[in-house]
Amino acid sequence: MRYVNKHTSMLLKSLAVVASLAFISACDNAGKPQAGATGKAADAQPRVAGNSAMEALYQRAKEEGTVIYWTPTETELETKVAAAFNKAYPGIKVVPFSIKPGNAVERITSEAQAGRVSVDLLSSSLASSAPLLDRGLVAPFDGFDEMPPLVKNSLLIDAKFLNNYNLDFVISYNTSIIPEAIAPRTWDDLLKPELKGKIAIEARAMPFGYLGVAWGEAKLVAYLDKLRAQQPFFVKGGNTLADQVASGEAPVAIGTYSYQIELMKSHGAPADYKIPDTLGISNFGNLLIKGAAHPNAAKLYAAWMASEEGQGEIVKLFGRGSLLPDSPREYAQKIRNSGAVMVFDSVENAKPRKKMEDIAAKRLGVHK
């Protein structure tokens, strides 16, 4: 596999949504979590993000002093988020651990069966967290009625999922190979004769799950048959695919995110993207685990990440943030102005979407 340059590739991998690090439970080592971001700032003054509800929650959180946070983000990067949080709310130690969402679900389920809880707050995609919700292992973010609007409006699934950021499945392309005149702006544009043999698809076929939810199975199947005639090829991994767009190995790609391409563009890569007419958007957020030892500290950290201040730090560090309909982000407004039909994750469409993904993979000839 070729990359534009080593620096770009390493940066992209460091911002991967799902890290590949193995989980090491601090609670299995002498029963105490290892230190993460300490949050020691004796002279710092807390900047309350919002109103008295955040301040009241902060006072309760300080009594707990710690939040154990499981996240797919690499620990080094998550520690930077925690450091920004501690500037606003000193005195609360954030202990982040990198773990894949699927592994986290298995671990939490096993611990619940054994009558123990070693995590307070979990970062996960909405789709991956469904088993925990179904099994009643998630507590609601109650007491948020007086929170800032941006925080309240990020609460989903009966206040059991606090949205943090979203990833959108755009159509990306290499600007050195694909001229602007034929750059695909819609899903039908991918059927142009000029793009035959030039389209790469991420092997999980995830964007087509969202299309199937919006279009219905019959329309999706008819479209997939036309797309297969374009002789697409398949690449495993969204980061790998984005790298190949930048290097020219994938002139056009389905299965990348806008923030990945923006990162590469900022480092001089000949890459760009279009917001298609129907846009799949995955939800990533925080869940308060039932029986958490530090529920108030967990709530505060999650609320801060969803607040205007927290979102600013997350966008600055990762290049991604909330794309919910009321998000004030410039890019979120760009999506709304595009007129695209936005298809977000939901508990209701999780199974139909997975079914459509499997149909797409089979119809296109993907071997997962």
Side-chain angles (χ1 to χ4, degrees):
M1 179 174 60
R2 301 189 301 276
Y3 298 99
V4 177
N5 57 56
K6 183 178 180 181
H7 181 60
T8 300
S9 179
M10 289 177 66
L11 277 172
L12 184 56
K13 289 183 179 180
S14 73
L15 296 180
V17 177
V18 179
S20 61
L21 300 178
F23 170 66
I24 302 175
S25 175
C27 298
D28 288 340
N29 294 319
K32 295 182 179 180
Q34 299 172 359
T38 63
K40 292 182 180 179
D43 299 329
Q45 295 297 318
R47 296 177 297 158
V48 178
N51 52 21
S52 59
M54 290 287 285
E55 177 61 24
L57 182 57
Y58 175 43
Q59 298 306 317
R60 297 193 298 272
K62 281 197 296 184
E63 294 179 5
E64 297 171 352
T66 300
V67 53
I68 301 175
Y69 187 45
W70 290 3
T71 169
T73 303
E74 293 178 5
T75 301
E76 181 181 357
L77 289 170
E78 193 61 52
T79 298
K80 294 181 180 180
V81 178
F85 166 74
N86 286 144
K87 289 180 181 178
Y89 298 101
I92 300 172
K93 180 187 297 183
V94 178
V95 185
F97 288 101
S98 180
I99 179 172
K100 294 180 180 180
N103 293 343
V105 168
E106 292 178 5
R107 178 85 183 202
I108 292 169
T109 301
S110 297
E111 289 190 352
Q113 292 172 345
R116 62 187 292 257
V117 179
S118 62
V119 57
D120 300 313
L121 190 68
L122 172 68
S123 173
S124 174
S125 67
L126 192 154
S128 295
S129 60
L132 296 179
L133 293 163
D134 291 342
R135 294 165 184 160
L137 300 179
V138 178
F141 288 96
D142 53 12
F144 274 39
D145 292 344
E146 301 303 321
M147 285 288 177
L150 197 60
V151 177
K152 288 194 299 182
N153 294 341
S154 297
L155 284 171
L156 307 174
I157 314 176
D158 298 324
K160 291 183 178 179
F161 186 93
L162 186 54
N163 199 81
N164 185 3
Y165 65 91
N166 301 90
L167 300 178
D168 56 330
F169 289 99
V170 295
I171 300 174
S172 58
Y173 61 100
N174 183 290
T175 57
S176 296
I177 300 173
I178 303 297
E180 182 67 17
I182 64 169
R185 291 170 169 78
T186 69
W187 292 102
D188 281 343
D189 283 348
L190 290 168
L191 306 179
K192 292 178 178 179
E194 301 95 321
L195 298 182
K196 189 172 185 177
K198 297 179 180 179
I199 301 169
I201 299 174
E202 204 284 317
R204 290 169 294 180
M206 292 175 66
F208 300 107
Y210 295 90
L211 289 185
V213 168
W215 292 354
E217 183 176 341
K219 181 177 178 180
L220 177 65
V221 168
Y223 175 78
L224 291 170
D225 288 344
K226 295 177 183 177
L227 185 60
R228 184 168 185 172
Q230 289 288 77
Q231 299 176 358
F233 56 99
F234 307 100
V235 176
K236 187 175 182 180
N239 290 333
T240 300
L241 181 57
D243 279 338
Q244 291 190 1
V245 170
S247 69
E249 294 173 271
V252 177
I254 304 169
T256 56
Y257 306 124
S258 61
Y259 91 94
Q260 294 173 315
I261 305 303
E262 288 288 0
L263 175 66
M264 290 187 154
K265 284 173 62 178
S266 70
H267 288 86
D272 209 341
Y273 63 89
K274 300 296 183 184
I275 299 170
D277 43 337
T278 300
L279 181 66
I281 304 176
S282 61
N283 297 67
F284 284 77
N286 291 303
L287 300 98
L288 178 64
I289 302 305
K290 192 172 184 178
H294 313 99
N296 292 302
K299 288 180 182 179
L300 181 66
Y301 191 40
W304 175 82
M305 283 189 277
S307 72
E308 184 174 354
E309 181 182 65
Q311 282 290 297
E313 293 293 339
I314 289 169
V315 171
K316 181 171 65 177
L317 286 168
F318 300 100
R320 66 195 186 201
S322 174
L323 296 177
L324 293 181
D326 65 336
S327 171
R329 284 184 63 202
E330 182 178 349
Y331 180 63
Q333 185 61 51
K334 181 179 179 180
I335 291 176
R336 293 192 289 269
N337 291 342
S338 75
V341 175
M342 295 181 284
V343 185
F344 289 87
D345 288 335
S346 72
V347 173
E348 292 76 18
N349 72 24
K351 289 183 178 178
R353 186 163 51 79
K354 182 61 171 62
K355 176 185 175 182
M356 298 299 177
E357 286 178 18
D358 292 341
I359 289 173
K362 183 177 180 180
R363 207 78 185 184
L364 292 170
V366 180
H367 299 289
K368 294 188 179 182

